[in-house]
Structure formats: structure tokens, C-alpha cells
Amino acid sequence: MKICVLAGDGIGPEITDQALRVLHALDLKFDVTEAPVGGAAYRALGHPLPDSTLKLARESDAILFGAVGDFSLDTLPRELRPEQAILGLRKELNLFANFRPALVYPELVQASSLKPEVVAGLDILIIRELTGDIYFGQPRGIRTLANGEREGYDTMRYSESEIRRVAHVGFQAAQKRGRRLCSVDKANVLDTMQLWREVVSEVGEEYPEVALSHMYVDNAAMQLLKNPKQFDVIVTGNMFGDILSDEASMLTGSIGMLPSASLNEHGFGLYEPIHGSAPDIAGKNIANPLATILSAAMMLRYSFNLAEAAERIETAVKRVLAQGFRTSDIFEPGAKKAGTIEMGDAVLAALS
Ligand code: NAD
């Protein structure tokens, strides 16, 4: 099992270190390679996603990704900014399906800004299409109109095959969970989304055991706050998924707890916490490494088919929370304050 570790910027190296410690503690054999990405790669090699990094990523079976982002490089041309690395990896490796579970741990119910009864026991999965939609559609740009005024424009596009393949991913994920899939679109206003709804419905005929529903994105944004437990799996396009998955992450109360996976059709995946490089807390040993540790568990499950090993990690994380260990982002009075390394230590101890 070849794992390419792209730690990136800010807290990236600190949190991937802890995830690697956990992986190495399992009785499995990994071949680990590391390469620079994001701002670190720009500084070292002049590009946020250097060819050498992309080559290593391609030669691996899975990528463990930390985070990219460095405010001091925000004035660079867009193609050289650290965040371009993650967009480039998604595009180059065809990572079209983004899995974002949002799970509320009983011990962290109070961390949510919603009422405990609304979020207690929440366990939903958002699948966001990641390589199409208005983020990649052409034409796009800023042009000057005949009257001298500037106009910005982007293009929302989805081909039938792009919709079909992510719909299959959604149905298959729902098959393994509660067998309910909600497709989120804006078919009442956008032609692209009308096609989305038609194609998802067609694919649904192949999965009669999964209950398919459709919801407009504005309603979905409301329902996620009003009654999030009504959902099992949500499948949606790139832009709507971007917004809804961040909203859903806040139901759980902590950005430092949530893992994600971005997969291609062969099960190759990039696994990363949903948060960014958190430059405000980098290098202080206070970042929560659990989202990255849980991303490593997702890697074992989805890329290496090692569900049991993944569960070992997930159970260890539940155990350390039950034991009262908390990094500062999820700290509450009476808990045991842990730094990044101490949280890694606690997970290692809980594994055994
Ligand atoms: P962020 O997610 O980095 O941080 C938001 C807030 O959450 C900060 O207060 C931070 O301290 C806190 N936080 C984040 N992760 C944490 C953790 N593991 N433990 C404890 N606290 C944590 O978002 P931001 O501040 O808006 O962006 C910082 C940089 O990250 C930017 O350059 C942005 O572009 C980039 N970014 C990268 C990714 C990615 O690599 N996939 C995603 C989002 C943002």
C-alpha cells in the first residue's frame, strides 16, 4: 500500500504527523512517500503543485493530505496560489466524488450551535461532485461591455455522464447505509439542474431498494438546520455541495473533527480534513489532529478495503473523547486539555 503524504502548509505537517503515527501503529505494511504541496511547494520549487509532487501522487495508491493556504502568498497570480494545488490534484487525478460525513459524537453534542435534540445522534453523508459545475465551466472571465462597464461571468455545466457517475456513487453509498438518497438541485431555475434531476432519477431506477428524493438547494440549506436527521445520504453538484457540506460540518460544532475523501472511479482517493491550514494556530501544538486521523481511517476503508482497521481507528477516537481528552477547539471545563501530539498519544494508547 503506497501512501503519498502531502502535508502542505500551516498546521498540515503537525496533523499529518499524528495520522501517520496512528497508521504505523496498525499491523499493516505501508510504503510512505512525502512531497511538498501548496505554499511550501511554491517556496521550495516555485509551484504549488510541482510535477514531481504530481508524479509521486500518481504513483501512489492513496494520498493523505494536510492542508494548503498561506495568507502571505495571496497576492500571487491565481495559478500560483497554494489553494490551486488541491484544485489541480482533483482535476488531474479525476477525483470527482467528495465524501463528507457529518457525525455528532455524543460527547460533543454541546459543541454544536444547534439544540442538542436537533443534532444528537446525527450521522449524515454528503457526496459532492468535485470536478465539474460552475467552478470549472467555460467560458468564464471578466469582460468589458460596450458601455465600458465590467461584467463577470461563469458557466454552470454538467454533462449527462458526469451526473450519472456521481449519482451511482450516491446510490451505492446509500445502499451501504440507511438506503435513503436525497438529490439536491435547483431544477426549478437552472436548465443544468433540470438535467441533473432527470439523470439522477434515471439512475435511481437501477437502485429500487434506495428511496430517492429530490430537494431544491435553498430548502436543503434550511432543512439541514431545522431537521438534519431527516437525511441519510445527500448527493449534489460542486457549488451546492461546497456550501451545504460546510453548513453540515457546523452542525457537529467542530471543524477539527471532520474528515473527507475525494475518490475517482477506481477507488483511488485523496483523504484530508475539511479544515484549512489554520495559520493562526500553526506551530503551537494546539491543532486538533482528529479530522486527519479520521481521514486516514477513511483511506483504509475506501482505498484499501480495510473496514476493520478503519473501525479500529474510529473506535479509538470515540474512546479518547469518552475519556475526556479535548484539544482547545472542542475544550469544555472539566475536560483533559490535550495538544496535537498529546491527542495523537491518546489515540495510540486507545488503539491498543
Ligand atoms: P481554516 O479552516 O484554516 O481555519 C478556520 C478556523 O478554524 C481558524 O480559527 C482555525 O484556527 C480553526 N481550525 C481549523 N482547523 C483546526 C484544527 N484542526 N484544530 C483547531 N482549530 C482549527 O480556514 P481559514 O482560516 O479560512 O483559511 C486558512 C487557509 O486555509 C486559507 O489560506 C485558505 O485558503 C486555506 N484553506 C485550505 C483548505 C484545504 O487545504 N483543503 C480548505 C479551506 C481553507
Side-chain angles (χ1 to χ4, degrees):
M1 292 180 281
K2 283 198 222 164
I3 302 174
C4 175
V5 178
L6 305 179
D9 305 319
I11 60 171
E14 299 167 62
I15 53 178
T16 48
D17 275 356
Q18 298 312 312
L20 276 176
R21 288 177 73 203
V22 170
L23 282 174
H24 285 309
L26 303 168
D27 299 325
L28 300 166
K29 244 190 137 30
F30 298 109
D31 177 4
V32 176
T33 53
E34 299 188 35
V37 75
Y42 174 77
R43 290 181 200 285
L45 300 163
H47 196 279
L49 183 57
D51 288 343
S52 51
T53 297
L54 186 57
K55 183 165 179 284
L56 263 189
R58 281 190 202 285
E59 288 166 356
S60 66
D61 300 315
I63 300 170
L64 182 66
F65 192 89
V68 288
D70 179 336
F71 291 132
S72 68
L73 299 178
D74 278 356
T75 49
L76 286 172
R78 184 187 298 281
E79 66 278 10
L80 291 179
R81 288 192 207 153
E83 293 80 358
Q84 290 304 308
I86 187 73
L87 296 178
L89 282 164
R90 287 173 186 164
K91 199 73 193 163
E92 290 293 329
L93 303 171
N94 210 11
L95 305 172
F96 71 91
N98 183 226
F99 283 55
R100 282 230 203 158
L103 194 82
V104 173
Y105 293 89
E107 296 80 8
L108 299 183
V109 165
Q110 297 301 337
S112 173
S113 45
L114 270 75
K115 293 182 193 136
E117 61 269 27
V118 175
V119 293
L122 181 78
D123 178 1
I124 62 178
L125 173 64
I126 298 191
I127 296 176
R128 164 188 169 195
E129 201 288 331
L130 211 52
T131 54
D133 205 348
I134 196 162
Y135 292 178
F136 292 96
Q138 293 291 341
R140 62 185 292 171
I142 299 172
R143 61 190 164 202
T144 304
L145 301 174
N147 65 2
E149 188 189 11
R150 287 188 305 155
E151 176 189 66
Y153 58 102
D154 296 273
T155 306
M156 177 179 271
R157 269 175 201 273
Y158 264 122
S159 69
E160 213 174 328
S161 59
E162 284 175 317
I163 303 169
R164 200 170 288 281
R165 67 180 181 175
V166 77
H168 277 290
V169 171
F171 282 105
Q172 285 161 17
Q175 270 179 331
K176 293 184 196 142
R177 293 176 41 106
R179 300 183 170 208
R180 285 179 296 121
L181 179 68
C182 179
S183 170
V184 172
D185 61 38
K186 189 73 183 167
N188 50 344
V189 176
L190 299 165
D191 287 349
T192 312
M193 287 291 125
Q194 195 180 318
L195 180 70
W196 175 281
R197 189 173 282 217
E198 276 172 34
V199 175
V200 173
S201 301
E202 277 166 33
V203 174
E205 287 166 21
E206 296 175 43
Y207 299 88
E209 69 285 14
V210 175
L212 171 66
S213 59
H214 301 276
M215 195 178 277
Y216 297 135
V217 63
D218 40 350
N219 187 22
M222 274 196 312
Q223 294 300 329
L224 270 175
L225 296 182
K226 195 172 163 215
N227 178 18
K229 284 187 263 184
Q230 71 184 279
F231 298 109
D232 176 21
V233 180
I234 290 175
V235 65
T236 188
N238 202 347
M239 180 166 61
F240 299 158
D242 190 2
I243 299 163
L244 293 182
S245 58
D246 266 19
E247 184 187 350
S249 71
M250 279 297 99
L251 300 174
T252 71
S254 171
I255 201 168
M257 292 296 304
L258 294 173
S260 78
S262 305
L263 304 174
N264 73 12
E265 53 251 89
H266 309 297
F268 177 91
L270 179 150
Y271 300 85
E272 59 171 333
I274 68 152
H275 57 74
S277 58
D280 51 332
I281 57 168
K284 297 183 180 162
N285 190 41
I286 55 176
N288 186 345
L290 293 179
T292 318
I293 291 171
L294 291 166
S295 300
M298 285 185 89
M299 175 167 73
L300 297 178
R301 176 172 287 115
Y302 291 112
S303 281
F304 299 130
N305 229 351
L306 294 168
E308 224 171 273
E311 263 165 45
R312 261 190 85 192
I313 297 179
E314 289 157 356
T315 306
V317 168
K318 284 182 192 151
R319 216 171 271 164
V320 300
L321 292 174
Q323 288 164 352
F325 289 101
R326 302 281 188 276
T327 41
S328 53
D329 56 314
I330 51 174
F331 187 74
E332 62 210 326
K336 297 176 196 159
K337 187 96 168 242
T340 311
I341 296 170
E342 293 71 34
M343 193 55 123
D345 291 343
V347 175
L348 284 181
L351 266 183
S352 52

